Amino acid sequence: MTRRLSNTADGPKRSCTLVLAGGAPRSYSPGLRMSTQSPPGFPHRHLLGIEGLSPLDIVALLDRADEAVEISRQVEKKRTTLRGRTQINLFFEPSTRTQSSFELAGKRLGADVMNMSVASSSVKKGETLIDTAATLNAMRPDIIVVRHHQAGAVHLLARKVDCAVVNAGDGAHEHPTQALLDALTIRRNKGRIEGLQVAICGDVLHSRVARSNIILLMALGARVRVIGPSTLLPPGLQRFGVEVFTDMRKGLAGVDIVMMLRLQRERMNGSFVPSVKEYFRYFGLDGDKLSHARADALVMHPGPMNRGVEISSEVADGAQSLIREQVEMGVAVRMAVLEALATHLPNA
Ligand code: ASP
Ligand code: ASP
């Protein structure tokens, strides 16, 4: 079943084809350019989104990431897959955890990693994204990891450079490595993804994490519910094949995984919620609301958390929380992605 996905207010300008649960291989996406001479294995030159990855691509990355977890747990963590390669982390939005996670991943694979926070430099001086891309390209990097506040900016950049590009979050569009690390965390704890009931809760409207997760989870056969106030749910969500709820207790009934989202106040231009206190009362995850999920339900959050806004400390630090484990899985998934893309680099 192929459906059109309507774009959210600040979503990408292109429309995209999505194959929903039960659907076989998805259509070619402009977001992921297939290499003309793909070696066997991961058939993409860039990782620009989950959209465009086949279930097989996703599972292959998760399997590779399981191995990377083992490497990261050893005393000697260094591999040579990216030895001699240059990785640039180009962040137009402030980030601490994603940037350091990509940095560690690159270093564990032997790459030389350079971090560039553009928010504070050239952009302020008026340089365009294209100019920044051209400048960096001239430095001959092998991989660029990009985060940008505008949906679609990473795709644009990928067309302007010669190296592999990884999307580390573009506006409200996609954050593919977050969805992959979430899937890895779920699979390691529940043993599977297929057939699980997953609730994604909160500010779905502004969330690239929600979007990437919905696409990935549906592709691997999970059943997805989305819960939030109607002002924070994009119109036409049902067309993704997800169930939509505006009541936490009803939406959480019987779910296996509760994925909370940060209230993205920096992306809101207007009043989407009456007050933080009221938001917590109706949509914040506390022990009472969580008790409606399955007794063995697990709780996730991509970070950074607003304690007392979308999640209580009691739940965030409680026995059902996987939030710390998600961070560990983040490094492993990024190692897996960098390694998979490295197979397409010249002289690989
Ligand atoms: N947004 C958070 C941060 O900036 C986590 C992330 O980067 O994804 O640290
Ligand atoms: N860290 C995630 C992101 O960058 C989630 C968030 O910031 O709320 O999208």
Side-chain angles (χ1 to χ4, degrees):
M1 177 168 46
T2 302
R3 305 230 172 139
R4 288 270 151 197
L5 210 157
S6 68
N7 299 317
T8 53
D10 49 353
K13 291 289 170 272
R14 91 195 69 219
S15 66
C16 18
T17 306
L18 229 197
V19 178
L20 295 177
R26 52 209 37 237
S27 58
Y28 170 74
S29 144
L32 278 143
R33 287 188 270 151
M34 313 286 271
S35 164
T36 42
Q37 331 132 327
S38 308
F42 193 71
H44 307 282
R45 227 188 108 207
H46 306 294
L47 177 67
L48 302 182
I50 296 297
E51 200 200 348
L53 295 186
S54 70
L56 270 181
D57 295 337
I58 296 169
V59 170
L61 286 173
L62 298 181
D63 291 346
R64 223 184 245 271
D66 268 326
E67 289 168 30
V69 174
E70 296 315 313
I71 296 172
S72 294
R73 288 182 179 175
Q74 291 165 10
V75 177
E76 170 58 54
K77 300 176 176 58
K78 210 74 176 188
R79 290 295 181 270
T80 54
T81 327
L82 294 183
R83 190 165 61 195
R85 306 288 187 185
T86 303
Q87 173 187 331
I88 299 183
N89 294 336
L90 176 62
F91 277 63
F92 290 88
E93 260 185 12
S95 157
T96 44
R97 77 170 76 201
T98 300
Q99 184 166 325
S100 33
S101 181
F102 270 109
E103 182 176 355
L104 270 185
K107 286 181 169 165
R108 284 188 186 164
L109 295 173
D112 293 315
V113 184
M114 188 185 96
N115 290 313
M116 261 187 86
S117 296
V118 193
S120 52
S121 58
S122 338
V123 165
K124 287 211 175 126
K125 297 177 191 159
E127 189 174 81
T128 66
L129 176 65
I130 307 289
D131 287 335
T132 308
T135 305
L136 289 178
N137 198 44
M139 296 178 193
R140 300 194 162 273
D142 298 286
I143 300 177
I144 301 187
V145 177
V146 196
R147 170 170 286 190
H148 197 280
H149 43 272
Q150 263 172 352
V154 180
H155 292 70
L156 179 66
L157 190 124
R159 287 197 290 272
K160 303 288 173 192
V161 296
D162 302 315
C163 61
V165 173
V166 181
N167 183 356
D170 63 328
H173 180 220
E174 281 231 36
H175 191 353
T177 55
Q178 178 72 47
L180 288 164
L181 78 86
D182 289 340
L184 182 67
T185 311
I186 295 173
R187 198 177 74 164
R188 290 172 68 96
N189 282 276
K190 292 286 184 193
R192 66 194 165 101
I193 289 178
E194 192 174 358
L196 290 180
Q197 184 80 252
V198 182
I200 302 181
C201 315
D203 185 359
V204 179
L205 182 64
H206 300 99
S207 179
R208 53 196 175 207
V209 173
R211 195 169 187 284
S212 290
N213 261 311
I214 290 171
I215 301 172
L216 189 155
L217 291 165
M218 303 285 292
L220 293 196
R223 286 170 297 150
V224 180
R225 296 179 182 183
V226 165
I227 315 173
S230 50
T231 49
L232 292 177
L233 298 176
L237 248 185
Q238 284 89 345
R239 288 186 289 142
F240 278 87
V242 302
E243 277 186 90
V244 179
F245 293 84
T246 50
D247 181 289
M248 280 290 269
R249 291 176 180 82
K250 286 190 190 140
L252 289 180
V255 305
D256 300 284
I257 303 285
V258 185
M259 227 180 234
M260 299 308 299
L261 300 170
R262 182 173 63 86
L263 193 60
Q264 309 233 337
R265 281 177 282 186
E266 78 278 18
R267 294 195 204 288
M268 297 183 185
N269 44 6
S271 60
F272 287 86
V273 291
S275 76
V276 161
K277 204 167 146 216
E278 188 133 332
Y279 184 79
F280 182 72
R281 179 156 161 237
Y282 290 102
F283 295 97
L285 187 66
D286 55 14
D288 171 54
K289 295 191 194 79
L290 181 57
S291 70
H292 292 259
R294 283 176 58 103
D296 61 355
L298 296 169
V299 175
M300 304 174 73
H301 191 299
M305 274 185 282
N306 290 312
R307 290 171 183 260
V309 178
E310 69 262 355
I311 191 164
S312 71
S313 281
E314 164 209 8
V315 170
D317 304 325
Q320 288 165 271
S321 169
L322 294 177
I323 297 170
R324 293 284 161 264
E325 191 174 330
Q326 284 173 272
V327 178
E328 181 185 4
M329 295 308 125
V331 178
V333 147
R334 286 162 184 137
M335 287 170 74
V337 166
L338 295 172
E339 229 180 24
L341 296 179
T343 58
H344 298 276
L345 295 176
N347 307 320

